[in-house]
């Protein structure tokens, strides 16, 4: 079985003052506080979540 591709995301801006659904998306990506990082399986749904909050996160 081939190894699954992963993507690493980091929260680089605060969620203070952002829309509630964007805050929920950040939590759904497994990010809690500033500079926290999460390694996720690269799927279209994860890519969509990253795209939605692209102004808050950085893909490493």
């Amino acid at each position: 079985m081939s190894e699954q591709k992963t993507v690493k995301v980091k929260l680089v801006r605060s969620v203070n003052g952002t829309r509630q659904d964007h805050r929920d998306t950040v939590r759904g990506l497994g990010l809690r506080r500033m500079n926290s990082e999460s390694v996720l399986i690269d799927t279209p749904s994860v890519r969509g979540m990253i795209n939605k909050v692209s102004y808050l996160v950085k893909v490493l």
Side-chain angles (χ1 to χ4, degrees), residues 16-33:
N16 290 346
T18 60
R19 293 174 37 173
Q20 183 63 48
D21 62 321
H22 288 197
R23 280 178 268 173
D24 295 341
T25 302
V26 168
R27 276 303 277 128
L29 289 170
L31 303 170
R32 292 180 179 262
R33 59 183 69 90

Side-chain angles (χ1 to χ4, degrees), residues 12-13 18-19 22 50-57:
V12 293
R13 290 190 59 187
T18 60
R19 293 174 37 173
H22 288 197
I50 292 169
N51 189 46
K52 182 175 182 177
V53 293
S54 61
Y55 65 101
L56 297 173
V57 299

Side-chain angles (χ1 to χ4, degrees), residues 1 5-6 10 15 24 32-33 38-39 41 51 58:
M1 188 170 166
K5 301 278 186 182
T6 60
K10 180 177 184 178
V15 294
D24 295 341
R32 292 180 179 262
R33 59 183 69 90
S38 183
V39 178
I41 297 171
N51 189 46
K58 183 176 185 180

